[in-house]
Every structure is written in structure tokens, then in C-alpha cells.
Amino acid sequence: MPSSTNETHNPNLKSWVKSANDPNTDFPIQNLPVGLFTRKYVEELPRIGVAIGDQILDMSAVTDTIWETVFEDMIVDACSVESLDFLMMLEPEEQSEFRRRVNRLLRADNFGDERYFAEGCLVSMDEVEMHVPVEIGDYTDFYASISHATNIGKMFRPDQPLMPNYKWVPIGYHGRASSIVISGSPIRRPSGQTKADNTETPTFGPSENLDYELEVGFFIGYGNDQGESLKIADAEEHIFGLCLANDWSARDIQRWEYQPLGPFLSKSFATTISPWIVMREALAPFRVPAYKRPQGDPQPLPYLDSLKNRERGGFDIKLEVHLSTEQMREKGIAPHRLSSSNARDLYWTFAQMLTHHTSNGCNMRPGDLIASGTVSGTTKDSFGCLLELTSRGTEPIRLPGGEERRFLEDGDEVIFRGYCERDGFRRIGFGECRGIVMPAN
Amino acid sequence: MPSSTNETHNPNLKSWVKSANDPNTDFPIQNLPVGLFTRKYVEELPRIGVAIGDQILDMSAVTDTIWETVFEDMIVDACSVESLDFLMMLEPEEQSEFRRRVNRLLRADNFGDERYFAEGCLVSMDEVEMHVPVEIGDYTDFYASISHATNIGKMFRPDQPLMPNYKWVPIGYHGRASSIVISGSPIRRPSGQTKADNTETPTFGPSENLDYELEVGFFIGYGNDQGESLKIADAEEHIFGLCLANDWSARDIQRWEYQPLGPFLSKSFATTISPWIVMREALAPFRVPAYKRPQGDPQPLPYLDSLKNRERGGFDIKLEVHLSTEQMREKGIAPHRLSSSNARDLYWTFAQMLTHHTSNGCNMRPGDLIASGTVSGTTKDSFGCLLELTSRGTEPIRLPGGEERRFLEDGDEVIFRGYCERDGFRRIGFGECRGIVMPAN
């Protein structure tokens, strides 16, 4: 077992919540991701929950009935509020302690009274609505997959697919926080200005090149003061946990608007995130070396380099994109897998992105969201967006049922899944990040 | 008088607050801008204030002592909280009513009891600290000065200074909300990656090309739902008020990082705003036609065009940049004016920027900040940043006292001023937007 793992990662642990022991569940007792929910048909403030099998452990109920006796307890306080802010702001050791306590509560070998109380704190996932888990102050999106950057670059700049800065600078841009929505929220097709190559003037109308982008996001735990920078060696302690993210993109709008200041309205209409934040510690067994730079690539500058980052900066997370069209749903055809890739193939690690982001003194606040950019591999079955998969719409994809797709059509549902597997460890997953395309207004 | 003005704009009105009648004050009774303050040496939550001469009318004191009797009054409620959120969310007619009430309270011809109560609600500007007036959810920066875009473009792309999209698309990008600070906050010189033209590899260190950008910002009042777009005819109603903004920029970092996704760390270390928000209604006498596009320029697409916008979409705001170096302060030399420009010269109006921003369904929230981008005129004495003023550092500026500047040095203080003047109306001002450069860490 890697030294960074502990008893909460023990693959032999079972939970008394039966569904958590299903080998296919994303949420065994080794995972324990956190999210924010309200019960359907109940008028209530959002509550913090922990996913366990197909159930949610209602942490405000736990703090009311089981943990209430603890005096001046940061963890209890953090679980009693209507947002994940305070949980995110806990020190890493306190976050570990949070996981240990929830683990103890849910273990099959717990025969204490608290187990029976905890049974009363379960809510079925069917019975809730999930919410964006925290007030996201700022959202930043990187561009950390070199395969994606190269593929896209080839389309827009055949003579220079990869900019000279790419292997030195973790390229990123500021995104829009207001339009981040939770998995399941419908996505309205955006309108905007586009210009065809063979015309002189642009027109305004619904985007015809709507795309998804398969990404992994991470939430900032405790932040840094403005004017101070994080060191690469410490940066990870500021990563609270990870989720899946779909950075919906209107390629035709993007193409016309993006110079010289970058993507703007082609992205800001919506970003979907998965509802369960997998805490950093849960991912300890799935840490891998940072991307191995091929011979000839420069090494990162010292501020972006550390032994720990080189040896364990990566995350081995398998990612999948599935598509379900309206016609497929009508015909009872299951969602079709379009591609799969892996977060370990990112050219820059999350620690490098975060360190770079604060290297100018930019302050991070708890709940800030940073995403990886589209995660693409080197082969066509690993491309993380339709722009790449269909070579800019020139090679349509065939779907079961006979339909074709160049870009997304109204009624299409995009479903991301993510999970971690490794011999000797229990598989854990991220759940789903879904969104269905609605017609333009 | 333009039809959109009312009794609060009457140039003959005086206030019983003597300093408000000084012809040089930025804050006569015709202005009444709002801000957030705390008294120095007092432990208290921030309070909403209205600037009047060299005094601040403490609105929470006013609501406690004068307006308290009013029952279920939105305006009283909005003034009683610790942020401008609720004031911003008021309907335009309620915002007018707010101005009318404050105006009545402060008029020289008010001899009622409330005047004497109001005297007890004044705090001297010397005795307060100002704060960022609202939780800024998202910050967007446009690029709306065609002179600035052309000047910058010439340096980076001599063959194509202005991109083909410029005259069609109000170009903008998402900025960083976390690092927005109030006037007077020290600005730490950022470090970052830069690469000289004659070297192969970048280096990391303090920026040597630190610059300011002279901008006007506007705060969103009530917002729009995600998936809905504002119409150009209605967009202005969502503009609560205006301020000055300094979008500090590290040009050497910018140059190396900005392709292909736009400026990122070169901007996100700090943005300074002036503390007093001049409400839209206060600016009614100073509305002017939108920028007159020269023969040959395309007309805006229909979604960005309206008669009202053409006739009165502009704001006639004179803007000035002053610089004070450490040496100048030691020698007792007054700040030196580097340039002056005018917001009426922006190629795109604020209504067009806002309409464009929501045209893809992007939701605005109360308190979101949108800035114009650097406001430059066509002549050298009107350039809004040092990059333009010194032609990328090649033509240093001479300062009184004998110093030269290519870019900002440690200890330099940048001071923006803004004001509106027009025959038949009282001059109103924005106060100052200041920031002093501190050495890099």
C-alpha cells in the first residue's frame, strides 16, 4: 500500500449499507465523496451529504443525532451548514479525520448504537436533488492535455499546432462562475455571432457547432492571500477534491470571437459539474507519476517542479463520454460510448496548475473551481470533444440506431463517467455528469 | 434639460453640507454615489454610505434614526445591510426614489427635523476605510476602445493591428474576481514567466513591464436568468452604476502567455476599483450618442443596435491618469498627469457590451462587474496605459524631477480621476482610483 493511504482505503472494508458493497458502485465505503442536496418535495435548505452506495448519509442529521455531543468540534460545525465552504476550509488533517469518522460510522463491523442512529440518517439518491456544492467565487479552465491542444491547434493553425509557450506555461483562462450548473440541468443551445469562411459578414443565430468538453475539475480548499504564492511542494494541500466537468463549447462562436483575448461567449453559457466531490485523500491509491515528457521536451521551470510532483503528481482517473440522442431514447437504445481517456495523460498536474495560477500572487478562495481542459489521449477513441472526434465536423460519428453526429443536436444528452481502478484497491467512481441540450430560444 | 433628467440634476440645488457646494468637489448633491465603509478604529460591519462633499451620509444610521418609521420599505431594507447587493437589485424606479429621498434629506432648503438628525449621520471621509462594495461574482473586461486595440495590435501584429472581428464583436474576456481590491490597496508586483525575443527559454521572476490600464467599470443591478438574453433596448436598466477601474497588467508576462487563450496571470494579480459607485441616473445629463462609426465601418448587427443606443448610448466621462513616484513624493512634487481620455470614445457602448455578454444566455448576477478595457483616444496625450504611452517602453516618459519611466517602478503610485462636465449642469466626479506598487516577494 502506498504510504499515503490509510485504513479508509482498505479494500476489504465493507459497509452495512448493502449497496455500497456492490462491486459496480461508484460509492463504496472507500470513496465517501461529499455533495449538497435537498430532498424532493421538502422545503428545506441544502444539506451536506456523503454518497454511500445508492444512499446519501445526511450529515446535518448525523451532526444532530450522533455527533452533537462533541464540543467545539470544527468538523461538526462544518457539516451543520448549508454549503461545503467550511468543510473545504478544514486543514488536511481535519479532512482526514472527517473521512475516518464517516468511515467508522458506516463500516459493517460497527455494531454500536450510532449505527442504528446512522441508519435513520440515510436518504435514497432517488429522493434528492443535488446542488452546486459551494458558492464558486472564480472558475478557471486550463488546457493541460497536450493531445487536445495539438489536435485543436492543427485545425486552427496547421503551420503551428502547438504554441511555443505550451511546454513551459500551463495555459489557462478565466471562465464564468455564474453559469456553472449541476449535473442534470438542461443546457440551452446558445446563440451568437458566427462567420462562415466564404462570407464577408457575420450573422447572429443559434450555434450550429455545439460541443462538449470532457474535463476533470478540482475545488480549492483553504486559499492563499493576495500577493502570496503557493509552492509546488505545498500546493496539493489546497486541493479539496475532484469532480467531472463539461465545459460546453460553441465552436462556431469560438472561432469568430476568440482572437485576440481568448474564448468568451463560446464557453460562458454553461459549465456542468458532477455533484459528488471525491476528496483528495480518497484518491491516494490512484496517484501516479506526472506525465512523462518525451525526450526533447523541456523540464518544467523550478517553480513548477518537485520530486513529489514528478513521482506522484498525476491522477489515474478513467474518463468516458456517452451520448444518448432523443431517437435512441425513444427506441430504447442505451447511451453510446463515444470515447474514453485518462487524466494521467495531462501534460501538467493539478499541483502545477494551481502553483502556476498563484505564481503571480493571485489569491484562491475556498470553493474556487479549476478545471483541466479537455482530456484527450493520442488515439481517436480517446478524444474528449466532438471537434476532435469528428475532425471539425468533417467525419461524422455513426450512432447505434443509424443517426450521425457532427456536433450536438437538440435533445442529445451527454453523459460523462469517471472512475479509478487499481489492483489491490477498491474501485471508486465519480458518478455522472449529465446534460441534455435544449433548443435555442 | 434632457427628458431623462429630473429635479435631482438641477444645477442650482445646494446642500446644507457646505463642502458639497465647493465647485471643485466630485460629490455635490447632484451626484450622491454609494459605497461601503467602516469607521477607522471602530469594530463594525461595513455600512452603506452616500458621498456628499467631503462627508459620508451613513445610511444605516439614516435608516435607524430617520427612515425607521417606514413600514415594509424596500429602500430602507436595502440600506440596512452590510453590502450594496440589495440596493443594486432595486428596480430602476426604486433607485430613482432612493436618490430623491437622499437628495431631499441633504438639500439646503430642508429645514425639517430630519435635517438635524441627518447631521448626526455624517462621517468625515478622513475617518473611514472604504471596501469593495459588493461580493463581485464575476468580473468581465472588454476591449472597447478601438484606439487602444489598434495601438496594441500594431505592436503585437504589425501586419494586422485590428482583428477582422473587432468591428462586429464587442471583444471581451473573463477576468478574476478574487483579486479585485479597493482604491488605496497596495499592489504587489507580480512574478511570472517571461521570455525575451533573443532567448530560447523563458525565465521566472518579477515582472519588469508592469503597467496600469485606465478603465471605466459598471456594476450589474438586477440580473437575467441563465438561458435568457437581454435586449439592447432594456440592457441599460440592468446597469446599476459606474466606477473607475485599473486593470493592472504585466506586459512581459502577457506577451508570453496570451496565446491562444488570452491574458491570464498577466492580469489576475490585481484590479483596483474606485470606492464610489456613481448611479446611472446621476449620469443622465452626460449621456451622448454612441461612437460615430466612420464611413466604411459596418453598422452593429441588429441585436446590438437600437435608436436609443445610437442617440444616447455613450457616457461623456473625462478620465485622467496621474503618476506620483517615491522620489516625487520625497521632493514634494505633485502627481504628474500622464494622459487624459474620454469614455465617449469607446467603440462599443456599455449597453452593447452587456447585451452581447448575455446574447448566449450567460446569466448576470447583481454585483457582477464589467469593465470597458483601456480607454485611449487617438493622440498620444490620451493613451490609457504605459504600453501605448511609451511605445512598448521604447520612448520613456520624462517626469517632473527628472526621472524617466518606461513601465511602473516600485513605489510608483497610479491615480485615476474621472468627472463629467456639461454646460447647464453641475460637474460630478468619480473620486479617485489609486494604487501604489510594492516590490515583488
Side-chain angles (χ1 to χ4, degrees), chain B residues 322-343:
Chain B
H322 300 256
L323 182 69
S324 160
T325 71
E326 202 167 343
Q327 190 186 303
M328 285 165 69
R329 291 192 297 277
E330 278 165 8
K331 290 186 176 174
I333 302 173
H336 176 67
R337 191 171 84 177
L338 295 181
S339 71
S340 62
S341 58
N342 194 308

Side-chain angles (χ1 to χ4, degrees), chain A residues 276-387:
Chain A
W276 294 107
I277 307 180
V278 177
M279 290 173 70
R280 186 167 47 88
E281 191 185 80
L283 294 161
F286 311 103
R287 301 306 300 272
V288 289
Y291 182 84
K292 190 163 160 42
R293 295 180 168 221
Q295 195 84 34
D297 278 13
Q299 286 308 301
L301 290 179
Y303 80 103
L304 294 177
D305 195 20
S306 79
L307 185 63
K308 193 172 88 181
N309 184 65
R310 263 178 270 161
E311 292 185 344
R312 304 191 28 79
F315 288 87
D316 183 357
I317 305 170
K318 295 184 176 66
L319 303 165
E320 296 179 354
V321 183
H322 300 256
L323 182 69
S324 159
T325 70
E326 202 168 344
Q327 189 186 303
M328 286 165 69
R329 291 193 298 278
E330 277 166 9
K331 289 186 177 173
I333 301 172
H336 175 66
R337 191 170 85 179
L338 295 181
S339 71
S340 61
S341 59
N342 194 309
R344 66 186 296 165
D345 296 330
L346 293 170
Y347 197 81
W348 298 102
T349 66
F350 290 152
Q352 285 171 323
M353 294 179 212
L354 178 53
T355 303
H356 180 65
H357 205 331
T358 68
S359 65
N360 67 344
C362 180
N363 52 323
M364 297 285 140
R365 297 179 293 190
D368 284 348
L369 178 66
I370 298 180
S372 60
T374 308
V375 185
S376 291
T378 51
T379 55
K380 187 155 176 174
D381 60 357
S382 67
F383 292 170
C385 62
L386 286 173
L387 186 67

